Amino acid sequence: LNINMPGDSDLEIEEAFRRAQKAHNNKAKLVASLKNRYNKLEDKTEFHEEFVRCLKYAMIIYTREPAVENVIDFVTRFAASFETPVNENPDEEEEEEDENEFLNFLLNFLLESHGANSHAVRFRACQLVNKLLGSLSENAQIDDDLWDRIHEAMLIRVTDKYPNVRIQAALAMSRLQDPSNVDCPTIKAYMLLLENDSNPEVRRAVLSCIAPSATTLSKIYKRTRDVKEKVRKLAYQVLAEKVHIRALSIAQRVSLLHEGLSDSADSVKEVVKTHLLPAWLRMQQGDVLQLLHRLDVENCAETAVTTLQAIFSMATSPDDLQNGVRLDERKRIPVDSLTCENVLYWRALCEFVKNKGNEGEELLERLLPETAIFAEYLYSYLKSITQLSEEQRADMTQLEMVMTQEFIGQQLILLVGCLDTSEEGGRKRMVAVLQEILLMPNTPTSLIGLLVEKLIGILRDDAQKIQMVAEIISDVREPILPISEPVDENEKRRKQVKLAEVRVQIMEAKQTLEECISCQDFSRAAELKDSISQLEELKNQLVLEASQSADNIKEQRVEKSDAKTLLKCLTMCAELFKQMNIKRGICPTMNALIESLILPGVSNPNPAVRNMAVICLGTAALHSKDLANTHLVLLLQITQLDEPKIRISALRALVDQLLLNGLNILQDKPAPVSQDDSNEQPEHQAEEESTVQSILKMLSDFLDSEICELRTETAEGLAKLMYCGRILSPKLLSRLVLLWYNPVTEDDQRLRHCLGVFLQLYARASRTNQECVEESFLPTMRTLFNAPVTSPLSEVDTSNVAELFVELTRPSALVQPAAVQAVSVHDSLAVRVCNEILRDTSAPEVRLYCKTLSWLEINTEPGPANSDLQLLLKDILQEVKDKHSIRIIEKLCNQLNGDRCSKSAGNQDTTLQNLDDHNGGGQKKASTAKNGKKAELSSDESDEENVPEEPPSVRPSRRAKMAAIDKTKQDLTALMNQEANSS
């Protein structure tokens, strides 16, 4: 098609579009040539019409064809070439308006097209608006009315049905937002998309555009917990590049590092290490200790250590590592220079270097003193820790000071693990110092367990470990103290008279001696001299007895029973049982500790003592099954009667015991027990079976507890028992699934995370577990369908729950898929669902059950199972009246009859992602409420224009996309010629 216009020597519009499709053409020259033609025209109308006609051919193509993308880029460049610099001279305003005429025309055309029925046109219109606005300079001027119209149109398009349209609309609005305006509609739209859009690429697009502000920061921060790896990764990048560390609270900083460095995706960990941490360090001028100060390391020591290890792993030389800690000539930080930050840095660095093995030996020698020197250093610091009275503890300043001292002491104790204790003299000195520290009355209770752990770690013989800790416990509980006794006054008076008599005799003897010497009676003088010596000895003895009688103090052992002493002893005892091998059993020394210390502590009135005694008892019971049998009933009573914290400790001890010995703990041979097994038990096992049932009933009741921590601990314990095969109970599994979906537990992230991980691992572990999941399906669904309106379970999305069960029981989900079997778990589940439908074909849940049948991987090979299922389906077809359900059943019947048409991709890619969506670790949860919607599974390829990340890594979609590009290489020229010929 040739349009007769002046200046035919210039490039035709259609020819320009043809050339623009080819990537090798110089678009700058095409733009210059076409603009030259445009400038020569007096009437621009025909040019506008022809330009739009050619553009429309590109706008009706939805797929990302290279030819179409090249045309879009060309149109963007051509329109942007009409932009003129802002000129303050009013005389030239009219000229500027002429220059902007084409740009305004094109934007008006796109705004008229954005509401088209074709999603391709809407997508291309938003894409062009995005590219046009993005190509304009920062000081570009657009008519206010046109600007408002663009804003309104894009606000409509960000709610489009198609994700790609929403992406382009969101990108286009990046220059329309006003972060300073709390009521900015763009900001509000962005926040709504971040919170609620089901497509991860839309959330990524918004993250790349949204401007951080006091309003939007919390929304950006939440995306670091998104269920999609790429969204989390981009959220960390945005925070690193656009948000100052001071804009975040301490809790947010710690959370970002803790969750980022422990993320399940390596790419997220890497972006935290290579983007977020370096950015924060730059804000602190590279001072690592200052960064630690920003994290409040006293309350997040482990996160701080993980952060330091990430920083150390990026260091290029050993000198870079050592710069953060300043040691004196004896390789110690001076005591008056110790702070929480530098001592933590010292400890983390030493652990990091020690883990390098032989490679780090040289550097470790430069970082740590000899063992004996460090022992004295540790002793001198811990001895100086302030001991506060109850009144002083009320003063927060003094309390914080002591807590800081304890934290520094804790880090110094941890450094003991990095020392070389192979040298005998240093090891003996360290053992002696640790003993002395444990015996000191002012040693904080919080450090006792750690001190015992290090002491046991240094000692080599098990018997020596037990004996030494037992002796320390004995010395702490029964220290040797001076005791004063009452004085007999008569005896005291008699000794005083005797002493006076001896003194008189000495004086008389000395006088007689002088007389004998003067008379030169030397033999008599010698006798007197011996006599005087004997009297002097007697006098000294009487003086000593008198002084002892005055003081009357003797040393003897005195038993202490105050709460602080008992807590200290129990803590040492718990650590001893924890460190010893359970195969060793209970020796007489350990048994004596149980009888004299632990069991009395269980009934102590002080809750802290009682709690530690329960922990000790539970740990000790792991060493001896006889001991466990003896005190099992006591632990069961404590789980139901005491304070919540102590009940939880007893519950943990009980679960540990069941994990180790099984539910048949009262029998000699442990074995897994099924709660649902109705077989008759032998008469001699009746008592044991009753105990087992009472334990299971108690655990089941705890799942309904109003105490959140007890409920969570019970759920976690049951999950462990089921995963380890100690319990096989569809009823309990159903309870756990309902607890996971229950809106009441929405804020309990630990519970949600634990159950989310458990369900995946449990179902994938074995076919037996999948059969248990299958059996729990109908009880779970009935509970949800029959839940009263007042129950929180009435808000749960039953479709999502059904999808979860289908995905968990999928044969391909097994870690080790079983060999081809006649009947798969899905085949059995299909029969169960069919029978449930036939129970009441008019029930409202029939439609969902039919939909569930369509999701199952049913074996279509001929056989008895296939025939039985077909008979059930025919009965359903005769009974069910719902047309939608009938269509699903008919399609399933065709498949069973030999129609090998594969199911739609949407039915295959259902809900293991919903496990993540529902998990507390992300914000995009699978719906637990009626108004929630399932994560969208769109077959559209997400448009990633201007989104700073690689395209989605879903391989089938990417292969399909590449195949389409290779096969078609669509050329718009054919379409343009076709219409030209028809006209």
Side-chain angles (χ1 to χ4, degrees):
L1 174 66
N2 292 321
I3 301 176
N4 296 322
M5 292 185 185
D8 286 339
S9 59
D10 295 315
L11 189 64
E12 294 285 349
I13 299 175
E14 187 173 332
E15 181 62 25
F17 271 82
R18 285 197 182 98
R19 294 183 186 179
Q21 296 175 60
K22 309 298 180 184
H24 58 77
N25 277 316
N26 189 330
K27 291 186 175 57
K29 289 184 177 179
L30 291 177
V31 168
S33 179
L34 194 60
K35 186 177 181 181
N36 184 47
R37 178 179 183 80
Y38 181 83
N39 290 335
K40 292 179 179 179
L41 296 174
E42 293 182 3
D43 184 7
K44 318 288 187 182
T45 305
E46 292 187 36
F47 183 95
H48 292 167
E49 292 176 355
E50 174 65 8
F51 190 92
V52 165
R53 185 187 71 81
C54 294
L55 176 60
K56 286 179 180 178
Y57 292 106
M59 293 182 66
I60 60 174
I61 308 298
Y62 183 67
T63 55
R64 305 301 294 269
E65 301 288 350
V68 180
E69 298 304 314
N70 288 334
V71 167
I72 297 297
D73 289 340
F74 164 70
V75 172
T76 303
R77 287 193 183 193
F78 181 70
S81 68
F82 288 91
E83 181 196 354
T84 55
V86 177
N87 198 323
E88 297 181 0
N89 188 350
D91 297 334
E92 299 183 10
E93 285 184 3
E94 185 177 347
E95 183 180 344
E96 290 176 10
E97 289 178 6
D98 292 339
E99 288 288 334
N100 288 332
E101 182 182 356
F102 180 80
L103 181 60
N104 292 340
F105 163 77
L106 183 59
L107 286 171
N108 277 305
F109 165 70
L110 295 174
L111 293 177
E112 291 169 2
S113 307
H114 86 87
N117 290 333
S118 168
H119 60 279
V121 174
R122 300 198 303 274
F123 165 62
R124 294 298 177 183
C126 292
Q127 183 188 25
L128 277 167
V129 171
N130 168 36
K131 286 180 173 289
L132 284 171
L133 294 180
S135 64
L136 298 179
S137 61
E138 291 186 7
N139 58 355
Q141 287 190 340
I142 293 181
D143 180 68
D144 288 344
D145 180 58
L146 180 59
W147 186 264
D148 292 339
R149 288 178 58 207
I150 294 173
H151 203 172
E152 292 172 5
M154 293 303 102
L155 285 172
I156 295 172
R157 291 280 64 82
V158 291
T159 62
D160 197 276
K161 176 183 177 181
Y162 284 80
N164 286 340
V165 180
R166 300 200 297 275
I167 289 172
Q168 293 301 324
L171 294 172
M173 289 200 302
S174 62
R175 297 188 67 175
L176 306 177
Q177 60 184 320
D178 181 10
S180 61
N181 181 9
V182 293
D183 295 322
C184 174
T186 299
I187 296 291
K188 288 184 176 180
Y190 275 168
M191 292 194 294
L192 191 65
L193 289 171
L194 280 180
E195 287 281 301
N196 301 309
D197 200 290
S198 58
N199 189 282
E201 294 305 321
V202 177
R203 302 198 295 274
R204 286 184 60 241
V206 174
L207 272 177
S208 68
C209 299
I210 191 168
S213 66
T215 307
T216 62
L217 182 56
S218 61
K219 306 298 181 184
I220 298 172
Y221 169 75
K222 283 184 180 180
R223 287 307 100 210
T224 60
R225 298 174 177 177
D226 197 278
V227 295
K228 292 298 180 181
E229 170 188 339
K230 290 180 180 178
V231 181
R232 298 197 301 274
K233 180 180 176 182
L234 184 58
Y236 279 108
Q237 287 177 329
V238 170
L239 289 170
E241 295 167 5
K242 299 181 181 179
V243 179
H244 197 283
I245 187 173
R246 291 184 179 178
L248 299 164
S249 67
I250 292 176
Q252 287 175 329
R253 298 169 200 165
V254 173
S255 175
L256 286 173
L257 292 174
H258 173 71
E259 294 173 6
L261 292 172
S262 60
D263 197 280
S264 58
D266 291 337
S267 63
V268 177
K269 295 179 189 174
E270 192 63 23
V271 82
V272 175
K273 285 174 60 175
T274 58
H275 287 71
L276 188 67
L277 276 176
W280 284 4
L281 278 172
R282 284 194 299 272
M283 295 171 192
Q284 309 303 322
Q285 290 75 47
D287 188 343
V288 180
L289 296 182
Q290 188 61 31
L291 176 60
L292 291 178
H293 183 68
R294 299 280 183 200
L295 299 178
D296 186 21
V297 295
E298 285 186 66
N299 297 312
C300 65
E302 292 311 309
T303 300
V305 169
T306 307
T307 302
L308 286 171
Q309 289 174 346
I311 293 172
F312 296 154
S313 66
M314 296 186 290
T316 54
S317 69
D319 293 336
D320 294 339
L321 298 176
Q322 202 171 349
N323 289 338
V325 57
R326 296 177 182 177
L327 305 176
D328 59 17
E329 66 281 355
R330 302 187 72 185
K331 304 175 189 175
R332 308 174 307 180
I333 299 177
V335 173
D336 56 353
S337 299
L338 283 170
T339 64
C340 295
E341 291 77 25
N342 64 15
V343 74
L344 183 75
Y345 186 97
W346 191 18
R347 168 216 156 183
L349 179 57
C350 290
E351 289 178 347
F352 177 79
V353 175
K354 187 176 178 65
N355 289 335
K356 286 182 171 290
N358 295 333
E359 183 184 343
E361 277 187 9
E362 182 183 347
L363 180 56
L364 193 61
E365 287 180 3
R366 300 206 308 264
L367 290 171
L368 283 173
E370 294 179 1
T371 305
I373 296 174
F374 188 84
E376 299 300 333
Y377 176 67
L378 176 65
Y379 180 74
S380 65
Y381 184 81
L382 293 182
K383 192 176 180 181
S384 67
I385 291 180
T386 309
Q387 196 169 11
L388 298 180
S389 64
E390 289 301 322
E391 293 179 358
Q392 290 173 322
R393 285 187 171 275
D395 184 352
M396 286 303 297
T397 305
Q398 294 193 54
L399 184 60
E400 288 175 4
M401 178 191 70
V402 171
M403 290 173 67
T404 300
Q405 291 177 342
E406 289 182 15
F407 178 82
I408 294 172
Q410 180 192 49
Q411 303 308 310
L412 292 176
I413 296 169
L414 287 168
L415 270 171
V416 172
C418 298
L419 295 170
D420 180 12
T421 55
S422 58
E423 192 268 317
E424 185 69 19
R427 184 171 68 253
K428 284 185 176 179
R429 184 58 194 147
M430 180 58 76
V431 169
V433 165
L434 290 176
Q435 283 181 283
E436 185 66 27
I437 293 171
L438 285 167
L439 290 170
M440 288 193 308
N442 67 325
T443 302
T445 307
S446 60
L447 303 180
I448 296 296
L450 196 55
L451 287 164
V452 174
E453 178 189 338
K454 297 305 175 187
L455 176 62
I456 292 175
I458 294 173
L459 298 173
R460 296 175 179 176
D461 181 62
D462 283 352
Q464 185 186 8
K465 294 175 183 179
I466 297 171
Q467 189 63 32
M468 185 169 289
V469 174
E471 288 176 0
I472 295 172
I473 291 174
S474 176
D475 290 341
V476 170
R477 196 176 183 197
E478 298 181 359
I480 298 175
L481 299 175
I483 303 296
S484 59
E485 294 182 352
V487 179
D488 187 344
E489 291 295 330
N490 294 330
E491 181 67 19
K492 182 179 178 182
R493 180 66 181 166
R494 188 184 65 78
K495 288 182 179 180
Q496 287 176 348
V497 170
K498 179 68 174 175
L499 180 59
E501 289 176 355
V502 171
R503 283 174 177 166
V504 170
Q505 290 174 3
I506 291 173
M507 291 175 64
E508 290 176 350
K510 285 182 178 179
Q511 187 176 358
T512 307
L513 177 62
E514 290 176 0
E515 292 175 356
C516 289
I517 292 173
S518 62
C519 296
Q520 296 186 350
D521 186 356
F522 295 110
S523 59
R524 175 67 178 156
E527 292 175 2
L528 287 172
K529 190 174 182 181
D530 291 339
S531 177
I532 290 171
S533 298
Q534 292 176 2
L535 289 171
E536 287 284 351
E537 288 180 5
L538 180 58
K539 184 193 79 168
N540 291 335
Q541 184 179 352
L542 290 171
V543 170
L544 180 61
E545 288 179 1
S547 65
Q548 288 180 346
S549 177
D551 296 336
N552 202 25
I553 295 175
K554 293 183 179 180
E555 289 187 346
Q556 66 180 50
R557 289 190 176 274
V558 178
E559 182 176 344
K560 298 173 69 176
S561 58
D562 60 289
K564 184 178 178 181
T565 301
L566 289 175
L567 189 58
K568 188 174 181 179
C569 294
L570 286 166
T571 305
M572 285 191 276
C573 191
E575 194 62 35
L576 174 64
F577 283 119
K578 177 181 171 184
Q579 296 296 328
M580 300 307 296
N581 193 325
I582 61 173
K583 294 181 181 179
R584 180 182 174 83
I586 298 289
C587 66
T589 305
M590 297 168 77
N591 198 48
L593 288 172
I594 294 170
E595 296 295 332
S596 64
L597 179 65
I598 296 175
L599 291 178
V602 171
S603 58
N604 192 283
N606 186 283
V609 173
R610 221 162 48 244
N611 184 55
M612 187 54 68
V614 169
I615 293 172
C616 286
L617 182 61
T619 312
L622 297 175
H623 291 257
S624 167
K625 189 173 180 181
D626 291 337
L627 185 67
N629 286 334
T630 304
H631 301 296
L632 181 66
V633 176
L634 176 60
L635 287 174
L636 287 171
Q637 289 174 343
I638 295 171
T639 57
Q640 301 175 74
L641 299 176
D642 217 316
E643 295 184 8
K645 184 178 179 180
I646 304 171
R647 292 175 66 186
I648 290 171
S649 296
L651 178 61
R652 287 174 181 165
L654 179 64
V655 170
D656 287 343
Q657 194 58 238
L658 297 178
L659 284 170
L660 182 65
N661 295 314
L663 284 175
N664 290 337
I665 187 175
L666 298 176
Q667 301 174 7
D668 292 333
K669 183 179 179 181
V673 171
S674 172
Q675 183 190 13
D676 304 301
D677 190 359
S678 58
N679 295 332
E680 293 185 3
Q681 299 293 331
E683 187 175 341
H684 69 279
Q685 293 183 351
E687 183 180 348
E688 288 84 351
E689 180 65 18
S690 175
T691 305
V692 169
Q693 293 299 329
S694 65
I695 292 173
L696 291 175
K697 185 178 186 306
M698 180 193 74
L699 294 176
S700 180
D701 292 341
F702 283 170
L703 292 177
D704 296 324
S705 173
E706 295 181 358
I707 304 170
C708 176
E709 294 81 5
L710 183 63
R711 181 181 63 206
T712 301
E713 200 66 44
T714 305
E716 187 174 327
L718 285 171
K720 290 177 182 177
L721 290 167
M722 295 189 73
Y723 183 71
C724 294
R726 294 300 188 184
I727 294 178
L728 186 64
S729 171
K731 290 181 181 178
L732 283 177
L733 182 62
S734 175
R735 291 290 307 277
L736 292 179
V737 172
L738 291 171
L739 187 64
W740 190 49
Y741 272 98
N742 197 323
V744 172
T745 66
E746 189 167 4
D747 295 329
D748 192 344
Q749 292 191 7
R750 181 185 164 199
L751 174 68
R752 287 284 178 103
H753 178 73
C754 169
L755 293 179
V757 172
F758 159 70
L759 289 172
Q760 294 186 67
L761 295 178
Y762 180 74
R764 293 177 59 199
S766 69
R767 178 184 167 92
T768 303
N769 291 354
Q770 282 196 336
E771 290 172 353
C772 182
V773 175
E774 174 210 338
E775 288 184 49
S776 66
F777 172 68
L778 288 178
T780 304
M781 301 307 294
R782 288 170 186 160
T783 302
L784 293 174
F785 288 133
N786 297 330
V789 179
T790 55
S791 169
L793 291 177
S794 64
E795 301 175 13
V796 175
D797 182 0
T798 51
S799 175
N800 187 269
V801 179
E803 289 180 22
L804 170 68
F805 275 95
V806 170
E807 196 61 40
L808 291 176
T809 53
R810 200 174 293 283
S812 56
L814 289 171
V815 175
Q816 294 181 336
V820 178
Q821 301 181 21
V823 180
S824 69
V825 176
H826 271 196
D827 292 336
S828 304
L829 184 58
V831 173
R832 287 178 184 272
V833 173
C834 287
N835 287 322
E836 185 67 14
I837 293 172
L838 290 172
R839 281 181 59 190
D840 184 3
T841 54
S842 61
E845 58 265 24
V846 165
R847 175 176 285 201
L848 176 58
Y849 282 138
C850 291
K851 192 186 294 185
T852 303
L853 288 173
S854 71
W855 294 333
L856 298 173
E857 292 180 8
I858 301 173
N859 186 6
T860 57
E861 297 298 327
N866 189 313
S867 301
D868 293 343
L869 184 58
Q870 287 194 52
L871 290 174
L872 288 171
L873 293 174
K874 288 178 182 177
D875 291 343
I876 291 173
L877 285 174
Q878 294 175 359
E879 299 289 337
V880 172
K881 306 302 180 184
D882 180 64
K883 292 182 179 179
H884 180 75
S885 301
I886 291 173
R887 284 197 300 270
I888 294 175
I889 300 300
E890 287 175 346
K891 184 178 179 180
L892 188 56
C893 287
N894 292 335
Q895 290 177 354
L896 293 175
N897 286 328
D899 183 359
R900 301 288 187 253
C901 293
S902 60
K903 299 178 184 179
S904 63
N907 291 340
Q908 298 292 332
D909 293 335
T910 47
T911 59
L912 266 188
Q913 81 169 15
N914 284 336
L915 281 171
D916 296 327
D917 290 354
H918 184 65
N919 205 338
Q923 300 297 322
K924 309 296 291 183
K925 298 179 181 176
S927 311
T928 57
K930 289 182 178 178
N931 60 353
K933 65 175 181 180
K934 188 178 61 180
E936 182 174 331
L937 299 169
S938 173
S939 60
D940 302 317
E941 294 128 356
S942 294
D943 189 342
E944 289 154 19
E945 191 73 39
N946 294 342
V947 183
E949 184 52 84
E950 66 273 5
S953 59
V954 182
R955 294 188 180 278
S957 300
R958 186 169 180 80
R959 285 200 297 268
K961 179 178 178 181
M962 296 305 296
I965 292 175
D966 292 338
K967 288 180 181 178
T968 58
K969 293 290 183 184
Q970 188 161 2
D971 191 338
L972 298 182
T973 306
L975 287 174
M976 294 164 68
N977 288 338
Q978 182 179 351
E979 182 164 319
N981 293 334
S982 62
S983 60

